[in-house]
Amino acid sequence: MMSSSIGSRAQKMSLPMSTQKGLLEVPSPTEKDWSTDGEEDYVFKDPDWELDSLPQPYRMINKLLNLLIDRSWEVIEERNAVREAELSRIQPTIYPPVLESKLNKMAHCMAICQDYVFIGGAKGFSIYNLYNAKRIYVWEKLKVDVTSIWATEMGSEILVAPVDEMGIVRLFYFHKDDLFLIRAINEVDDTSKQTTCVKMEISQGGDFAAFLLQGAGDIWLDVYKLPKECWLREVEHPQLALNPKKKGRQPQLNIPDPMTSGDIKFSLPVHIMKIKPPKPVTVRPRSISSFLAA
């Protein structure tokens, strides 16, 4: 029995090498040739650090809290992306005010032309210089509130047209820091026949002016030719209307008050056109027989 077991063991030991499933690899003696796959993903785990699974309902509460934190973080990231996009845009240039001027009354309207600003308010309107914010003139002769005001450049001069609370529009001529009243366009003595200026426009250059008026249930457009060349001559060479021997008074800067048409004789605007809206077309009903007979 002993000899048979030793013989079978020797027979097993003498199997050919081709019958083995695979050859064994001998690692390289140098450490630099060793494989490093999976070393970064390998983490040493300490059993003491393992957390036990929470029981219900605490596990559900934990999931809800994590979900809330994740959604909050998504909102924060979206807002941060929007903020970064806004900051990356080209920001508009902000121009701070050069001067600040406080008004002594509430302003109803405003117009800017050349180097001046015209502000309409209670009892009249004022003119300010844009460079030093100094008030040059104030017109409060008639003590009427100015609801709207226009200013148009006429060469080096300015035509100013304020409209008061009664709807009366007046034309002023502003020349070399002097203000002159030319005339009121729609002012009448009888207040029952007073018309109201709804809107006005002055052509570029100041050659023509159009006034949209309404009154007594009617509305129309008056167009005027403005004699601006005559106004310039009359201002530079004034002819006194009331008394030829009387010299035209010059307004003082410390008491700003415009000249009136009584000081200088101005040429009046020429009315050239009156446009009314067409009347509605009325059609009389006709019978079929009369229509066929015609």
Side-chain angles (χ1 to χ4, degrees):
M1 295 296 292
M2 183 67 68
S3 61
S4 62
S5 61
I6 294 173
S8 61
R9 186 182 304 173
Q11 187 178 1
K12 290 181 181 180
M13 295 292 292
S14 61
L15 290 175
M17 298 297 293
S18 59
T19 61
Q20 296 182 5
K21 295 182 179 181
L23 298 178
L24 297 177
E25 291 188 7
V26 179
S28 175
T30 58
E31 185 179 353
K32 64 180 181 180
D33 296 333
W34 293 357
S35 176
T36 58
D37 297 339
E39 288 186 359
E40 296 179 357
D41 299 333
Y42 186 79
V43 179
F44 291 98
K45 294 183 179 179
D46 191 348
D48 295 336
W49 291 1
E50 292 291 336
L51 298 178
D52 296 334
S53 178
L54 294 174
Q56 292 291 2
Y58 303 106
R59 189 164 62 250
M60 179 60 68
I61 295 174
N62 185 42
K63 290 182 179 180
L64 293 176
L65 289 176
N66 291 334
L67 180 62
L68 179 61
I69 293 174
D70 292 340
R71 291 185 177 180
S72 301
W73 187 252
E74 291 177 359
V75 173
I76 293 173
E77 288 182 343
E78 291 178 359
R79 292 182 179 180
N80 188 33
V82 173
R83 188 181 298 108
E84 290 180 354
E86 292 179 354
L87 294 177
S88 62
R89 296 177 183 176
I90 300 176
Q91 299 296 328
T93 305
I94 300 176
Y95 298 96
V98 179
L99 293 174
E100 293 185 2
S101 178
K102 294 184 179 180
L103 304 177
N104 54 1
K105 61 184 68 176
M106 179 64 68
H108 296 163
C109 52
M110 181 180 63
I112 296 177
C113 188
Q114 293 184 1
D115 301 333
Y116 305 94
V117 56
F118 304 85
I119 300 177
K123 299 182 180 181
F125 68 94
S126 304
I127 305 176
Y128 289 82
N129 190 302
L130 290 176
Y131 288 101
N132 53 18
K134 181 180 179 181
R135 188 173 69 174
I136 301 176
Y137 280 109
V138 55
W139 185 81
E140 294 180 349
K141 183 176 181 179
L142 300 180
K143 306 297 181 181
V144 291
D145 295 348
V146 174
T147 57
S148 58
I149 190 168
W150 285 266
T152 303
E153 184 177 354
M154 304 175 66
S156 58
E157 290 72 33
I158 300 175
L159 181 66
V160 187
V163 180
D164 63 17
E165 56 187 343
M166 300 297 295
I168 300 175
V169 55
R170 297 175 176 85
L171 297 182
F172 289 86
Y173 192 69
F174 190 64
H175 171 75
K176 294 182 179 180
D177 293 345
D178 290 333
L179 186 66
F180 305 93
L181 174 62
I182 297 176
R183 65 160 297 180
I185 296 296
N186 58 332
E187 187 177 17
V188 294
D189 296 334
D190 189 357
T191 56
S192 61
K193 298 180 180 180
Q194 180 64 55
T195 60
T196 302
C197 179
V198 179
K199 190 177 180 180
M200 67 161 295
E201 290 290 340
I202 302 175
S203 65
Q204 187 176 3
D207 294 320
F208 299 92
F211 305 92
L212 184 62
L213 305 176
Q214 67 176 3
D218 198 4
I219 188 169
W220 65 94
L221 182 69
D222 282 341
V223 182
Y224 289 84
K225 176 72 171 62
L226 304 178
K228 60 179 184 179
E229 293 83 3
C230 298
W231 291 344
L232 182 60
R233 291 196 303 266
E234 291 162 358
V235 169
E236 293 179 349
H237 307 284
Q239 296 179 358
L240 301 182
L242 299 180
N243 187 3
K245 296 181 180 180
K246 180 181 177 181
K247 296 183 180 180
R249 61 181 178 86
Q250 297 294 331
Q252 302 296 328
L253 293 179
N254 54 356
I255 308 177
D257 187 18
M259 292 184 177
T260 62
S261 57
D263 298 312
I264 298 179
K265 185 178 181 180
F266 283 98
S267 299
L268 298 180
V270 181
H271 185 266
I272 60 175
M273 191 182 305
K274 184 175 183 179
I275 303 175
K276 291 186 176 182
K279 296 181 178 180
V281 179
T282 57
V283 180
R284 296 180 179 179
R286 300 174 63 183
S287 63
I288 299 176
S289 59
S290 61
F291 178 78
L292 294 175

